[in-house]
Amino acid sequence: MGNKPSSEIIRRFIDFIALQRRYSKHTQNAYLTDLEQFESFLQTLSEGNKQQITQADYHDVRAWVISLLDDEQVTARSINRKLSALRSFYRFAIQEQLIEESPLRKLKALKADKKITPFLPQTDARQLWQALTELPADEFITAREQVILILLYTTGIRLSELIHLKISDIDFSNRQIKVWGKGSKQRIVPLLPQIFALLENYIQIKSQLFGEAIHSPLVCTDKGEEAYPMLIYRTVRKHLDMITTIERRSPHVLRHSYATHLLDGGADLNAVKELLGHSSLAATQVYTHTSIEKLRKVFEDAHPRS
């Protein structure tokens, strides 16, 4: 086993994930880079004797991880991604009967710090709201931009949920929308009274352009077709660029802002869980970080021994 040149084996693996697994070109390139990096590291261990990647053992992989940890620019998250590439490669090698077991069999993933999505400060959120309400709402594109931003921020729905939201999902009499979340789970999310005029205005303009179809997507393209993710991303980025300095400016930032601002305002965690469509409370707790920091500041400012 393991008699083929490493470069050929790696090429076969990349062909496999491209043709059989249909991995993206980006993933293919990332895996290739990681495997070649590990292969180069093996050469340093074998002092130029060209140790093959299929000959590596647990200690070789562990030594590589330690060397990566010495680099302050490499995070635990990126190391875990590299290990994921190796695991996929060695599964392929076992399948091809090139090795008997993976050298990563006993290796555990590193504990990575949880990545916290940024959120809009309250001042930025107020500025965004004011900017949106002042847009000329007699044009389809600007009316659509109002609806996209305001729905994302005032309901906390996901990008995919917004795209699949239909006009028939809006209950004007009860001031709520019906949202189809992950796993086709349905939930009801209340709407602020202030946004109904904007919704009605947009729907009227949309109907004049593309006809009245109650079951058509609420947010559509300039041709009346269902919106696509990049359209939503571009709209969000355009408006957040004008009012905030936070690094990430995506639809998820507005979802995070919605949850964070609700919790900061005293909302019950279980209620926020239901509004967001989370299946477990643990998924919602990621949004409590700012509320905890706010409580900590109140405590430190008020406690007589602080």
Side-chain angles (χ1 to χ4, degrees), residues 93-109:
I94 292 171
Q95 180 181 313
E96 294 293 300
Q97 298 185 336
L98 300 171
I99 60 173
E100 293 180 351
E101 68 176 27
S102 170
L104 283 83
R105 188 169 58 90
K106 297 179 181 179
L107 194 70
K108 295 181 180 179

Side-chain angles (χ1 to χ4, degrees), residues 43-220:
Q43 306 312 312
T44 65
L45 293 180
S46 59
E47 298 181 348
N49 292 329
K50 295 187 180 294
Q51 180 181 354
Q52 293 181 15
I53 196 168
T54 50
Q55 295 173 326
D57 59 21
Y58 166 81
H59 300 289
D60 295 330
V61 178
R62 189 169 179 272
W64 185 49
V65 171
I66 292 171
S67 72
L68 291 171
L69 286 170
D70 288 338
D71 186 347
E72 294 182 355
Q73 303 299 316
V74 180
T75 65
R77 189 179 297 273
S78 63
I79 292 174
N80 284 337
R81 183 186 57 76
K82 292 176 184 294
L83 292 176
S84 178
L86 259 66
R87 284 191 177 90
S88 294
F89 169 78
Y90 283 117
R91 279 197 297 269
F92 170 77
I94 292 171
Q95 180 181 313
E96 294 293 300
Q97 298 185 336
L98 300 171
I99 60 173
E100 293 180 351
E101 68 176 27
S102 170
L104 283 83
R105 188 169 58 90
K106 297 179 181 179
L107 194 70
K108 295 181 180 179
L110 300 180
K111 187 175 181 180
D113 293 334
K114 287 189 176 179
K115 196 172 183 180
I116 298 175
T117 304
F119 61 94
L120 290 177
Q122 292 276 7
T123 51
D124 288 355
R126 283 193 290 269
Q127 190 177 345
L128 174 64
W129 183 276
Q130 183 177 350
L132 290 171
T133 54
E134 291 176 354
L135 282 175
D138 56 341
E139 297 177 3
F140 171 70
I141 292 177
T142 50
R144 181 181 65 194
E145 290 177 355
Q146 283 181 326
V147 166
I148 289 172
L149 272 293
I150 286 179
L151 275 180
L152 287 171
Y153 175 60
T154 64
T155 66
I157 58 177
R158 301 176 178 94
L159 167 64
S160 59
E161 293 169 347
L162 175 63
I163 288 176
H164 295 118
L165 191 67
K166 294 179 171 31
I167 294 175
S168 56
D169 293 324
I170 304 172
D171 184 344
F172 284 94
S173 58
N174 292 311
R175 295 180 176 177
Q176 62 191 28
I177 57 172
K178 182 166 56 181
V179 180
W180 295 93
K182 291 183 177 180
S184 296
K185 291 182 180 178
Q186 179 186 310
R187 69 183 187 277
I188 302 298
V189 179
L191 294 173
L192 293 174
Q194 304 95 302
I195 73 172
F196 277 97
L198 298 176
L199 279 170
E200 288 174 337
N201 174 70
Y202 166 73
I203 292 171
Q204 182 179 2
I205 296 174
K206 178 178 180 289
S207 299
Q208 289 172 351
L209 290 173
F210 309 112
E212 295 185 15
I214 192 71
H215 296 295
S216 67
L218 175 67
V219 181
C220 66

Side-chain angles (χ1 to χ4, degrees), residues 36-48:
E36 288 179 340
Q37 184 183 19
F38 179 55
E39 194 174 38
S40 296
F41 176 77
L42 291 175
Q43 306 312 312
T44 65
L45 293 180
S46 59
E47 298 181 348

